[in-house]
Amino acid sequence: SLYEIQIKPYIGIRDLYGNKSFKFDGKTNITFKCLSATNKIILHQNNLIIDSVALHQLTQFGEYLIQITSIDYDKKLEFVILH
């Protein structure tokens, strides 16, 4: 697996950053190889607000967007589940 993470922290007083003070925005790209057929991807997620998700399949013929039909959250186990 390969993780690429971009983080924009807001370190400063509320007067400077408002409600974002001492929080962060970010973007993550995760590259992985799926070894068996599945209809869901489960990722650990705790105290994060996920604004958008896109899933791409890379093949020898090109890159294809895979439709995500639903997103569920398991709050007890702190997972996000992409279907």
Side-chain angles (χ1 to χ4, degrees), residues 10-22:
Y10 301 99
I11 300 173
I13 60 174
R14 186 173 292 273
D15 290 344
L16 186 59
Y17 293 114
N19 290 336
K20 288 189 173 190
S21 185
F22 294 101

Side-chain angles (χ1 to χ4, degrees), residues 33-48:
K33 185 174 186 176
C34 186
L35 299 177
S36 59
T38 185
N39 63 354
K40 62 184 169 183
I41 296 172
I42 302 172
L43 301 169
H44 187 259
Q45 174 268 339
N46 184 27
N47 293 326
L48 297 175

